[in-house]
Amino acid sequence: MPQQPARGSRLFTVTADTLVAVDLGPRTRHRPPGPYRRLFARPGTRAFTLANLVARLPMGMFSVSAVVMIAGTRGSYALAGAVTATGLAATALVAPWTARLVDRYGQARIAVPATLVAALGSLALLLCVRYDAPAWTLFAAYAVTATTPNTGGMSRARWAHLLKGDSDALHTANSFEQAADELCFMLGPVLAAFLCGTFFPEAGTLVGVVLLVSGVLAFAAQRSTEPPPGSRTSATAAGSPLRTPGMVPLLTASVAMGAVFGSTEVVTLAFADATGHRTAAGAVLALQATGSCAAGLLYGRLRFTGPAEARYPWCIAAMTALLTLPLLAASLTGSLLLLSAALLIVGMATAPTMITTMTLVQQRTPEGRLNEGMTLTVTALLGGIACGSAAGGWTAEHLTPPTGYGVPVTAATLALLIALATTGGRKAP
């Protein structure tokens, strides 16, 4: 009686004059897990990441919601822009101080009350707009929202704590965080515009407050992955991140890169309006964020042997070169479709540049001051965005929108010169 072949064996038989071999071994192949799968296999990482994404999404909602809410009720975009600019200036002053407290006393202890204060500021703005309060109350209420903690920085701080000594895994984590930033800032304005336009002008702010508070509460509840707070003595001994060698040039370059982002956004809005496609401007900018998000995830799968300092100027150089594409597309063709393709390509250089920047910030920030160091970088970017928006808007209005694309090229060139002067033009790995 024939016996069944053993598992993993081969069966040989003869059919007519042909020898047939049948492999009965298992067909499954055990492929090693990818870098992102290994990253989120660590206990607690999925929970704090999901909570942080919920808390981070409103960051792209609040300014758009405020503009729509104020302009729709008061009939003045100038007032709406001035209120949001005041909030940006207040954030530049308050955010580093909040981050310093987070480093000293812990994320849960500081982030939760700071978020609740910011939520009250957003709700106060809503009520002031709703009940036609004096204009000065809008400025005061929106300034209170500056206490919002840097949720992206807190998430990066957790990765730095969990992956200490594993540079490859930390590179993957930083890449994921940058892709998450791009995704949130791409979806946030779209969600805000949808809520405010579909329901009522205050809907975007209300939903943003709910997401922010619930996300931060869920994030703070993940205590197992929270980095330990630094003592007052150790934080003082470490010194301010601004005193660390190489930190000031890095922040200065971040201001220039922020100008790239701010000017590109405003000029694209002006160009779309000039070509009669004003409603398509959001989709065009979303393409740039999509390119950056995809490039960030791909960049996280790469492995580098050389230092991040050597890659830094090369990333900025690539971004500078690619920024000439929107300038050429707008100036030579005037086609919004070609401009969209150019911005998609430009976005692919944005994420690697910002990932490398954040890696250098983590390396140069003294121990126990990581949240403060990253928040200073975000503040520098926000300041650059404000300057770039003003310069891009002036150029687009007084010259032409296509000419306005020269502003981000100029800002990126300035960032490149700063990076080259800082690193000495080392070769990339």
Side-chain angles (χ1 to χ4, degrees):
M1 187 175 186
Q3 296 181 351
Q4 293 291 335
R7 181 178 177 84
S9 63
R10 293 182 178 180
L11 174 65
F12 295 92
T13 186
V14 177
T15 302
D17 58 350
T18 303
L19 177 64
V20 179
V22 181
D23 188 359
L24 300 177
R27 295 293 184 268
T28 58
R29 294 182 179 180
H30 298 285
R31 302 176 64 180
Y36 290 105
R37 186 176 175 183
R38 291 196 300 270
L39 189 69
F40 289 104
R42 299 170 184 267
T45 55
R46 296 184 183 182
F48 87 73
T49 298
L50 181 59
N52 191 270
L53 289 176
V54 173
R56 206 183 310 188
L57 181 59
M59 297 300 102
M61 296 177 60
F62 283 128
S63 60
V64 174
S65 299
V67 168
V68 173
M69 182 171 60
I70 295 172
T73 305
R74 301 295 177 95
S76 174
Y77 278 98
L79 176 62
V83 170
T84 55
T86 300
L88 182 65
T91 300
L93 295 174
V94 175
W97 176 74
T98 303
R100 187 179 304 173
L101 293 178
V102 169
D103 283 327
R104 181 177 299 175
Y105 298 107
Q107 294 182 352
R109 189 174 178 183
I110 300 299
V112 172
T115 299
L116 294 178
V117 171
L120 291 176
S122 293
L123 294 177
L125 175 67
L126 186 153
L127 293 175
C128 289
V129 173
R130 181 78 172 178
Y131 293 101
D132 199 24
W136 68 266
T137 62
L138 308 184
F139 291 91
Y142 202 68
V144 175
T145 64
T147 62
T148 305
N150 180 11
T151 51
M154 291 192 298
S155 183
R156 288 179 172 92
R158 292 203 179 204
W159 287 120
H161 167 65
L162 296 173
L163 305 174
K164 191 172 184 178
D166 190 344
S167 58
D168 287 343
L170 186 57
H171 167 72
T172 302
N174 285 333
S175 300
F176 172 82
E177 290 297 328
Q178 185 59 38
D181 279 341
E182 298 294 342
L183 182 64
C184 290
F185 278 99
M186 176 178 66
L187 296 179
V190 176
L191 179 59
F194 170 77
L195 292 171
C196 294
T198 304
F199 299 100
F200 46 91
E202 298 86 0
T205 299
L206 279 176
V207 173
V209 169
V210 172
L211 291 175
L212 176 64
V213 173
S214 59
V216 170
L217 288 176
F219 178 79
Q222 311 301 318
R223 304 302 292 268
S224 63
T225 54
E226 181 180 358
S231 64
R232 184 185 182 94
T233 303
S234 62
T236 303
S240 170
L242 294 175
R243 298 179 181 178
T244 305
M247 193 67 173
V248 171
L250 191 62
L251 294 177
T252 306
S254 295
V255 173
M257 286 189 286
V260 171
F261 307 145
S263 58
T264 300
E265 180 177 351
V266 171
V267 173
T268 300
L269 292 171
F271 182 83
D273 193 11
T275 56
H277 299 89
R278 184 177 183 180
T279 57
V284 174
L285 292 172
L287 280 176
Q288 183 180 6
T290 301
S292 182
C293 181
L297 293 175
L298 178 61
Y299 194 69
R301 299 182 66 89
L302 303 179
R303 290 292 171 262
F304 300 98
T305 56
E309 187 178 10
R311 298 192 299 274
Y312 182 56
W314 288 92
C315 289
I316 300 180
M319 185 173 69
T320 305
L322 292 179
L323 279 168
T324 60
L325 296 180
L327 177 62
L328 294 174
S331 302
L332 300 180
T333 69
S335 170
L336 187 63
L337 184 61
L338 290 178
L339 176 66
S340 302
L343 289 175
L344 176 65
I345 297 173
V346 168
M348 295 179 182
T350 301
T353 303
M354 293 308 305
I355 292 166
T356 307
T357 299
M358 286 301 181
T359 300
L360 289 174
V361 170
Q362 291 173 352
Q363 293 175 355
R364 296 178 182 180
T365 301
E367 187 175 358
R369 307 290 287 267
L370 186 55
N371 281 288
E372 182 181 355
M374 287 188 290
T375 302
L376 285 171
T377 306
V378 173
T379 301
L381 288 169
L382 292 176
I385 289 173
C387 295
S389 298
W394 187 94
T395 305
E397 181 176 345
H398 291 83
L399 299 177
T400 63
T403 306
Y405 282 106
V407 176
V409 175
T410 303
T413 302
L414 178 60
L416 177 59
L417 293 176
I418 296 172
L420 290 174
T422 305
T423 61
R426 298 181 184 179
K427 292 184 177 181

